[in-house]
Amino acid sequence: MTVRVRFAPSPTGYLHIGSARTALFNYLYARHTGGKFLLRIEDTDLARSTEESTQSILQGLEWLGFAPDEEIVFQSDNADKHRAIALKLLEEGKAYRDFTPKEEKVEGSVKDAIKERARAAGDQKSMRDNPFRDITEVEAETRIANGEPFAIRLKVPMEGTTSFEDGVYGLQERDYAETEDLVLLRSDGHPLYNLAVVCDDIEMGITHVIRGQDHLTNTHKQILIYRALGVEPPTFAHLPLIMAPNKGKLSKRKHGEVVSMTTYRDAGFLAEAFRNFLALLGWSAGEEKEIYSLDELISKFSLEGIHRSNAVFNFTEGDARKWTDDKAMWMNAEYIRTMPLGDLLPHVKAELKSAKLWREEYEPDGRALVATVPSTESQAFEASTEIADRPEAIAIEPLEVGTYDWYIRTIDAIRSRFFTLKDFSSQGRAYFSEDFDFNHAAVEKNLKAFPELMEWLPELSMRFRHEFGNEGSLPFTEENIEGVIKAFTAEKGTKLGVIMNGARTLLTGVSVGPSMLTVFEIIGLQRTMVRLLGRIAWNQAEVVAE
RNA sequence: GUCCGGUUCGUCUAGGGGUUAGGACACCGCCCUUUCACGGCGGCAACACGGGUUCAAAUCCCGUACCGGAUACCA
């Protein structure tokens, strides 16, 4: 029997980080077993479901790369079938009509109201004492004739236990006494969650249900429905939950955008990096390794590797530097600086395009296209190493700014200190445009702290012109630049760092980046000379500093 | 309240009768670059508590505490 799993979000918000991980585990399990990964939108709560959040969820899944193997099922489309099944159970005496008037919606927290009601009932109350559980058909007919509304509840047997072997938590047992006669159909004829899920899972041929641990008790209820229907339940596996830093619930209301998948897409995260991070939240292959390609995750994934304890998604609210989990950020940076360059290029292109920094010269003759649209990972690697090898081979002569070769070398150089794709257009802006800002802290630390630089740096500009700017001069390459800079530094009797850091800030607007010699070279002689003169920059620095 | 589940460095985790309790992130230090948030090396830092079983318990059993989930005519 081939494995069929499903991810079944309810469209009442965007794709939550916990849901994303559930989707990931389902996806990995399907791929690992050669099964099918299906998607079902549980939009039976018309009041709360929105088209907007359905789209947001779909976008999140698309970004993560989890395309369903079959057509998407919308649960609300099956409401008639669910109703029919509830009626069938009623007919068979496995369900009954409950004429108890519907309770009014309570004010405030629903959760608290439920807790309060349960406490008030104490342990005296039996789950089987519904007065309508065993009324005669005649009485029921009379009430119906009187126009009394009724809900349909499952008639849970008086004695027994539901049990199942959970793929993660092991044997789970629950006495019938702990389970209420759950409502299948509302008095307005609307099918409820547990009924809808069971019916759809049966119809979709689901073999393994992998979902959050918060569904553990639902599973017992659902098994009761499977039994009433005479259908063998699928295998269940429940996942530990992802918690907020205070070990409480991670929610949009309390924590905002950090929990939404689209936030990470928009913040310049790579889907492969985020997937990798997510996979390690609650699962481990039992080895000392952090970076896993999707293929590796698929081949190593197993239910046995899933933990039973909840994991904290660690971030600091109000701290711009730690707005999301450190490890997620590190993982993204790690991918950006170590992944095959050819795989990174399309992402950088998209980022530069959206920042209006892209130039067609960066991708002539469809060269990058060939290298970056490989059909397998190994091909991607070959293609990208080929590209990555090029810069070194041609570094003997300075590259012409704005060319394909220059672009490749520049991206490869600057990616080493970047954390997100956004950095290519923000921190890296000075490489692609004359219109860039100066970081306040960098100006303070590297320029204003050394007033002499206001003289020295323009002087260095003239020195560069003298050394490299004439017919037959040495090429403006790292090795040659180093010689000139060192001599210049010695002349001024200052530390190399002062000159280097000052130049870095004047040239790039920031205080970090690749080796400064590399920066000089890829900024190029012309731009270096102009920027070192620094009129505009010093002026701007003043403005920014104030 | 009741039922279910959990508890190894700040966080993610490895280990599951004998380990100097390992790795990663974060943090700190040193080195490299007479420059930085790259890189290299190192440091800080954990078995919730109490009983038992055992020659030996972080590991097995029981209890306690704490945390989480569930307990809807929500999903």
Side-chain angles (χ1 to χ4, degrees), chain A residues 170-184:
Chain A
L171 182 66
Q172 297 293 306
E173 288 182 288
R174 190 174 169 91
D175 201 292
Y176 287 171
E178 301 293 337
T179 304
E180 61 165 353
D181 286 345
L182 57 141
V183 173
L184 268 15

Side-chain angles (χ1 to χ4, degrees), chain A residues 129-200:
Chain A
D129 65 1
N130 189 302
F132 299 99
R133 194 177 145 99
D134 293 305
I135 57 168
T136 63
E137 192 57 22
V138 177
E139 185 184 346
E141 293 296 346
T142 311
R143 286 174 178 271
I144 293 168
N146 286 343
E148 277 187 53
F150 59 88
I152 294 180
R153 304 190 93 110
L154 185 70
K155 199 168 191 175
V156 177
M158 296 301 287
E159 296 203 343
T161 55
T162 41
S163 74
F164 63 96
E165 186 67 30
D166 189 272
V168 172
Y169 289 91
L171 182 66
Q172 297 293 306
E173 288 182 288
R174 190 174 169 91
D175 201 292
Y176 287 171
E178 301 293 337
T179 304
E180 61 165 353
D181 286 345
L182 57 141
V183 173
L184 268 15
L185 221 55
R186 263 198 239 162
S187 50
D188 62 4
H190 188 85
L192 250 26
Y193 176 74
N194 282 304
L195 174 68
V197 167
V198 171
C199 292
D200 288 351

Side-chain angles (χ1 to χ4, degrees), chain A residues 453-511:
Chain A
L453 286 174
M454 210 182 291
E455 304 285 327
W456 291 347
L457 262 13
E459 201 181 325
L460 180 62
S461 176
M462 299 319 287
R463 182 68 54 90
F464 277 154
R465 182 196 182 86
H466 178 74
E467 297 286 344
F468 302 108
N470 301 311
E471 199 72 30
S473 296
L474 287 170
F476 192 60
T477 55
E478 293 193 20
E479 202 184 2
N480 297 328
I481 295 166
E482 182 172 20
V484 172
I485 291 263
K486 282 193 169 166
F488 186 82
T489 306
E491 260 174 55
K492 300 300 172 196
T494 187
K495 282 193 291 188
L496 187 62
V498 173
I499 300 294
M500 289 297 208
N501 286 331
R504 182 190 296 286
T505 299
L506 221 39
L507 257 48
T508 66
V510 294
S511 62

Side-chain angles (χ1 to χ4, degrees), chain A residues 121 175 218 247 298 317 436 443 445 459 513 517 531 542:
Chain A
D175 201 292
N218 277 333
K247 300 193 195 298
I298 289 169
E317 274 173 291
F436 60 92
V443 168
K445 188 176 140 216
E459 201 181 325
L517 296 171
R531 292 182 190 183
E542 287 299 332

